[in-house]
């Protein structure tokens, strides 16, 4: 079964809210930066256009 992009975001980031978006350098779609809903800290970025997901580990 093909998993949806938002299911992958739930798995990698959990509860989140969008901080801002920029143009993805790979595919040109919106690359969104996310904050943890509870802590307000940046947790990663993701692009639905090319299924790129990066979790930040500070």
């Amino acid at each position: 079964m093909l998993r949806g992009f938002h299911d992958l975001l739930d798995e990698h980031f959990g509860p989140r809210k969008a901080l801002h978006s920029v143009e993805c350098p790979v595919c040109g779609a919106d690359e969104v930066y996310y904050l943890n809903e509870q802590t307000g800290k940046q947790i990663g970025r993701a692009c639905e256009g090319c299924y790129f997901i990066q979790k930040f580990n500070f």
Side-chain angles (χ1 to χ4, degrees):
M1 180 170 112
L2 182 62
R3 294 173 40 177
F5 183 71
H6 294 281
D7 293 334
L8 291 173
L9 291 180
D10 289 341
E11 181 180 317
H12 287 280
F13 298 146
R16 67 199 173 278
K17 60 182 172 181
L19 173 62
H20 65 89
S21 64
V22 296
E23 183 178 332
C24 177
V26 176
C27 70
D30 286 338
E31 181 178 74
V32 181
Y33 285 73
Y34 292 100
L35 297 174
N36 179 293
E37 273 189 345
Q38 296 171 340
T39 66
K41 294 182 180 182
Q42 273 194 22
I43 54 174
R45 63 184 177 159
C47 175
E48 190 170 2
C50 59
Y51 267 59
F52 170 76
I53 296 174
Q54 180 183 20
K55 187 171 184 176
F56 298 152
N57 294 313
F58 297 113

